Amino acid sequence: MTRRQRVAVVVVAVVAVAATLAGGVVRNLPVLGGLALALAGLLFVVAGIVADARRPDTVIGRLLAAVGLSWSLSAALTNAPNRFLFTLGLVLFPLGLAGLGHLALVFPSGRASSSLERLLVRVPYGMALLGLPVIDAGECPECPGNLVGIDIGRGFGRAYYSGLLVAVLITTVAVLVVLVRRWSAASPVARKVLLPVLPGACVFAAAYVGGLLAELGLPSGLGDRWAVLVYGLLAVAPFVLLGGLLRARLARANVGGLVVELGDSSPSGSLRESLARALDDPTVEVAHWVPDRGLYVDAEGAVVDLPVADPRRSVTLVERGGRRVGALVHDAALRDDPALVEAVSAAVGLAMENERLHAEVLARLEEVRASRARIVQSADAARRRVERDLHDGAQQRLVSVSLALGMARASLGAAPDGALGSLLDQAAGEARLALKELRELAQGIHPAVLTEAGLAAALESLAERSPVPVEVVGVVDGRLPAPIEAAAYFVVSESLVNAVKHAGASAVSVRLGRDDGHLRVEVSDDGAGGARVLPGSGLEGLADRVASLDGRFELVSGPGNGTLVKVELPLGEIPCP
Amino acid sequence: MAVTVLIVDDHEGFRAVARRLLEDQGLEVVGEAADGAGALLQVAALRPRLVLLDVQLPDTDGFAVADRLAVTHPETVVVLTSVRPASDYGARLPADSARAFLPKAELSGPALLGALGAAR
């Protein structure tokens, strides 16, 4: 309905209420019953307009307004002096009742879901028209009378009336059965949507059945009081329907909360919980679309198969900028509120896109970390190769030269042949020195002992060659992955060099330990302290090397308090050589 | 009778110098091998009293060859040698009487015979 149509409907209903009152007063008719009906109609109209504004996608709002309008007009027209208008007023009341049944059957989607339901929607309208001749015009001598009215006191009229009552009874019972079955088959989520309306409609239909039984003179328990109950329930009906609609509005307000919640960059996984709250559906599932693999996965990366032919589950695709981001799998009852699901999936699109970008950034970071580790390891491998080349080439040849010189000197025999002998001695000495320097050079590039014998032997050899006493505490049994051994070794050797060269330490202590999958190395000295990790320094190189293995590097070096280097290296994923 | 020696080293230059050095000092070099496989064949064929065995070999390492010889020819004394000092090999050099270590730079007939003496 447009805004203008809504205003017009309300104006007509208000005018009908006024006309009921005025007509009754002017023509001196009993106004109370008519006024109650007109006001109840107005309530339905207002509820219908609110419903239509909230849910223009379903026929519910318009149907409510139509029911209300028909009752308001029924009240007003049965006060009219004209016989045709009076008769029209008479038939509008049962037509409104048929509309009420229609409402109960199609709430909340506005569509009948089976051919039986479609039949039960239509039949009462026909019965309302067929019933016009037997509608009781009431004890009203002033009224113009029913244009097509027949006497129901006897003969054909009596039979027609009774037959119609039985038909209405059967139809109402059928509606009641359909409503009860719908309720018992509904999922918990669906029941939340149906809660005030469907059970209310069942009670109303049951009361109506009771009233019909009483009218037919059959045992019905309450006798004439059924009529009071039916009209009482009728007065409550618009409030029940409005209540149901307000619940829907509250659900919509959840979408606003969801948008705020998702904006809070909540950790992955809570997206599902936020959604469950917003949709009031604890069974909701979030499926992320993986374009590379052409399938959906959940937050843990497990493949999700979207339900295809499950009447209780429904799928809403989530798109963003025309691209598929994922899908929500939820209770089929939520299909009755497509606007809510649409709003939620729009809000979720942003969050899912964020989740995907977050995952991508993490993957990139992982790539960078892996490549950093590879760079360090390939540098180590290159140094090992250089050391090996020196060993296999220059060092071997120099040893042979040195031995040959020794033999040449020896072949001169005991007779010291002046110049040649001393020349050979000098050459042998130079060769020995060159060999020693070359060995130290190779050692500095990459210690052979680390490759050959492992960390423990390498540290022992470091301690032996150190100019200051080095105490090594703790043992690491067996071999560790090469990058770990190299990192631990260089931490100790670099710290030793710093302790001796820069801090003037007189003693150094090395502590080794292995626990919870970590190798811990601590090097402390009694030197001057005040060491800092400066750009391009050896300590920075150590920190980088440790970081490349996801380790922890700590430097404690207050001036005058010595220096402590603490390193923790995870032994996890790196394979042993 | 002179002590027989087999020299195992992949460096031809070193083998030549070592052969001369040892022969000059009264040992009998009965053969040479350039790798681990050759060493095992030569020991079986020549039955030397002593094997001068380089740690670094192209096909395997001296430790593996020494382990094998200790089983097949327990009477043969193995002297491992390397450009590197013994400390570079740490615990891989057990204090085993049938397996001495001599840095290449210190190679001499008396040093080899000393190792042989220790083995007896």
Side-chain angles (χ1 to χ4, degrees), chain A residues 387 392 396 407 448 452, chain B residues 11 21 56 84 88 92 104:
Chain A
E387 189 275 336
D392 287 348
Q396 298 284 354
M407 277 160 61
E452 295 295 338
Chain B
H11 289 88
L21 181 74
Q56 233 85 43
R84 291 174 180 150
D88 272 5
R92 298 184 73 182
K104 280 189 179 174

Side-chain angles (χ1 to χ4, degrees), chain A residues 428-500:
Chain A
E430 286 295 312
R432 267 196 303 278
L433 266 180
L435 199 56
K436 182 167 172 278
E437 282 172 12
L438 200 55
R439 199 180 294 137
E440 278 164 8
L441 176 66
Q443 176 85 22
I445 291 169
H446 192 91
V449 60
L450 195 58
T451 319
E452 295 295 338
L455 183 60
L459 293 184
E460 212 171 283
S461 136
L462 260 186
E464 274 167 18
R465 284 183 285 119
S466 166
V468 300
V470 177
E471 173 201 26
V472 181
V473 182
V475 198
V476 176
D477 292 328
R479 296 297 300 262
L480 297 173
I484 300 284
E485 287 196 331
Y489 176 85
F490 285 113
V491 163
V492 175
S493 68
E494 181 70 28
S495 304
L496 256 176
V497 167
N498 286 343
V500 174

Side-chain angles (χ1 to χ4, degrees), chain A residues 24 34 99 146 153 183 269 276 505:
Chain A
N146 190 339
W183 176 258

Side-chain angles (χ1 to χ4, degrees), chain A residues 404-425, chain B residues 24:
Chain A
L405 284 171
M407 277 160 61
R409 180 67 185 84
S411 71
L412 282 179
D417 193 355
L420 184 57
S422 66
L423 202 58
L424 282 173
D425 280 343
Chain B
D24 282 0

